[in-house]
Amino acid sequence: MTSGSGTTTVTEASSHRPAAASAELALAWVFPRPDEPSVGLASRQGTELVLGRDATCAVRIEGSDVSRRHAMLSWDVTGAVTLRDLGSRNGIRVNGRRVPEAVLAAGDVVRLGGWIGVVTNTPGPFAEISPGLFGGAALQAAMAPLERAGRSDLPIVLEGETGTGKELGAQALHRWSGRSGALVAVNCAALPEGLAEGELFGYRRGAFTGADRASPGFFRTAQGGTLFLDEVSDLPAGLQAKLLRALEQREVQPLGETRPVAVDVRVVVASQQPLSDVAREGRFRPDLLARLDGLTVRLPPLRRRREDVPALFSRLLGTVSGGRAPALECDLVERLCLHDWPFNVREIVLLVRRLVTLHGDEPTLTAQHLPERIGAPSPTASTPSSAPPSAGVPAPTGTAEPLELPALMAALRASGGNVARAAAMLGITRQRAYRLMEGQAVDLEALRRSEEPRG
């Protein structure tokens, strides 16, 4: 990535090593030099660090759009860290807004001249975790238990919003398992209810009308390997009971057969909404959950790992453009970091494809090339404050994150008007989804009717 600002390097006087993955807050540089060391923000009570291009600055940031003494980091008695403008020519921006000073919290997007950083409590290098699955320390930490459990026979539950990489997680687990059989992926939401049992467990020829030939079913196809059941909570209640029996007995009963067939299959299931919540709502058998829940891994959404967005975007841009990727403007990168990505990696892939299709011949991609919905400043952006949080380093704010109604409407359309599922896709509570819809004339019944099968 390039910024066109004459940028060369950044150094921190106290440390020249890359920040390791830890629970300590850090300012991770994501543009224009994402390989530069993060700036540690762990409590340094009474300390002040000056950032700028002057040789005397504790954190040197070089470039024509950076002032000699651009900004200062300081810590108070509670451990809260404040970023303050030192009268720089271009000022400081936090979460898309120019401010004289701001108390920093995890997830904040910071801009100093042409340099962009993200405040994170999981600093670390961006890497390929498994073929096709890329991420920084946050995703690596989420995947680490999965790798450790790879060669065990534990059943696995993968939870995460749409587009967070659950199928890639299942593929990684299968590789780490060393199992010789195939990985078979099944979208349970797409199984026709009347045929689901036969599709899963198999059937003999003539077992039902239309069964003109026998089928082994997904379980036997995955013999010796891994069966990945995506959106497992969409299985009908009766089929959930038969799945439970298959898991407990390690055998399946094909339709039309008189005897069960033994199977050796590692089962991995996935759900956008926590299965414990689905069970409490009465849509998933608690005994089946107890049988499946050997290890639950929740994959973080992109808005929880904003520091990964520019690196992921650049990698996809290079791939889609055939290695002829345009340069990136600083404003564009800032807006990418500010966007909440309600559909996660799936959304960023489509954005990259759109940009390459429409603007791939441009020497530089700019913010003007982005759709208007990408990267609006957060309504909860940090502002000057004399009363920082009392509990040390601020943590992510959870449901205080910004969420626009268009993102919720897109999730509702994708879920056929199911508010609970749409809320799970966006990582918010169902109550908050209803609050967002108040006074907006959202017709849930029309959305549900649009998903009904047509004769």
Side-chain angles (χ1 to χ4, degrees):
M1 292 186 290
T2 60
S3 68
S5 60
T7 304
T8 55
T9 188
V10 53
T11 61
E12 182 177 358
S14 60
S15 173
H16 293 273
R17 61 177 178 84
S22 71
E24 294 184 346
L25 211 63
L27 177 60
W29 299 113
V30 298
F31 185 84
R33 296 285 299 275
D35 55 336
E36 293 291 350
S38 301
V39 181
L41 300 181
S43 180
R44 310 180 189 185
Q45 184 177 338
T47 303
E48 294 180 338
L49 294 180
V50 176
L51 299 83
R53 57 185 174 85
D54 192 90
T56 63
C57 291
V59 181
R60 292 192 61 196
I61 316 173
E62 298 186 359
S64 59
D65 45 11
V66 177
S67 295
R68 297 181 66 85
R69 290 170 57 87
H70 199 107
M72 176 186 290
L73 290 167
S74 60
W75 288 259
D76 67 13
V77 294
T78 71
V81 58
T82 298
L83 178 68
R84 181 176 297 109
D85 185 22
L86 294 180
S88 63
R89 181 175 70 257
N90 292 317
I92 64 173
R93 291 164 63 91
V94 177
N95 296 334
R97 290 193 173 90
R98 182 163 179 167
V99 293
E101 64 177 49
V103 177
L104 298 181
D108 283 343
V109 178
V110 174
R111 178 170 172 180
L112 308 176
W115 285 78
I116 297 173
V118 175
V119 180
T120 174
N121 48 21
T122 53
F126 184 87
E128 188 171 26
I129 303 168
S130 179
L133 182 62
F134 295 88
L139 186 58
Q140 292 169 33
M143 292 290 293
L146 207 59
E147 184 172 10
R148 289 195 292 272
R151 291 192 173 271
S152 74
D153 61 356
L154 276 176
I156 304 292
V157 178
L158 296 175
E159 295 179 351
E161 298 172 13
T162 181
T164 50
K166 297 186 290 296
E167 185 164 353
L168 287 173
Q171 292 173 7
L173 177 68
H174 180 65
R175 291 189 185 94
W176 294 330
S177 75
R179 296 180 68 87
S180 59
L183 169 69
V184 176
V186 181
N187 182 358
C188 296
L191 288 175
E193 185 168 350
L195 302 176
E197 182 177 355
E199 292 293 311
L200 282 178
F201 305 132
Y203 51 87
R204 67 179 297 177
R205 180 181 178 184
F208 53 86
T209 302
D212 53 357
R213 60 181 177 176
S215 170
F218 293 126
F219 261 90
R220 285 189 286 171
T221 302
Q223 176 68 16
T226 304
L227 178 63
F228 174 55
L229 301 177
D230 196 10
E231 297 305 327
V232 68
S233 61
D234 285 336
L235 287 177
L239 197 54
Q240 290 181 25
K242 293 178 180 179
L243 174 59
L244 174 60
R245 178 174 175 78
L247 295 174
E248 289 180 335
Q249 303 297 322
R250 294 179 178 268
E251 60 186 26
V252 296
Q253 180 73 50
L255 294 177
E257 297 285 359
T258 58
R259 294 182 180 180
V261 179
V263 289
D264 172 22
V265 173
R266 199 316 177 42
V267 174
V268 180
V269 304
S271 175
Q272 293 184 32
Q273 189 176 0
L275 285 180
S276 57
D277 292 349
V278 185
R280 278 193 295 270
E281 294 171 1
R283 295 188 292 114
F284 199 73
R285 292 179 64 104
D287 51 357
L288 178 56
L289 174 59
R291 184 63 181 78
L292 290 170
D293 193 14
L295 172 67
T296 294
V297 172
R298 182 145 192 96
L299 301 181
L302 279 179
R303 67 178 176 280
R304 296 287 193 196
R305 50 186 184 102
R306 295 181 189 274
E307 63 275 15
D308 288 356
V309 169
L312 183 59
F313 180 89
S314 295
R315 176 170 290 277
L316 290 168
L317 187 63
T319 300
V320 174
S321 66
R324 300 183 299 275
L328 302 182
E329 177 200 55
C330 183
D331 287 348
L332 175 140
V333 176
E334 183 181 30
R335 287 180 59 177
L336 293 178
C337 292
L338 288 170
H339 187 52
D340 269 353
W341 302 105
F343 302 109
N344 295 289
V345 178
R346 186 170 291 119
E347 183 179 1
I348 206 170
V349 168
L350 285 175
L351 174 64
V352 169
R353 290 175 55 192
R354 166 182 170 153
L355 292 175
V356 170
T357 299
L358 299 180
H359 309 291
D361 293 335
E362 300 280 348
T364 302
L365 292 178
T366 72
Q368 285 67 40
H369 294 140
L370 294 172
E372 290 185 6
R373 61 183 176 80
I374 301 290
S378 163
T380 56
S382 299
T383 52
S385 172
S386 59
S390 59
V393 176
T397 55
T399 56
E401 295 178 77
L403 179 71
E404 297 178 353
L405 184 65
L408 176 58
M409 290 302 300
L412 286 168
R413 284 191 291 272
S415 64
N418 186 313
V419 178
R421 190 176 301 171
M425 291 167 67
L426 300 178
I428 64 174
T429 65
R430 185 167 48 181
Q431 291 76 15
R432 186 177 178 217
Y434 278 113
R435 286 198 299 272
L436 285 166
M437 291 187 287
E438 287 179 1
Q440 301 296 327
V442 176
D443 191 343
L444 291 176
E445 287 304 317
L447 290 169
R448 291 164 184 155
R449 285 195 300 272
S450 69
E451 290 297 301
E452 292 176 355
R454 292 172 173 81

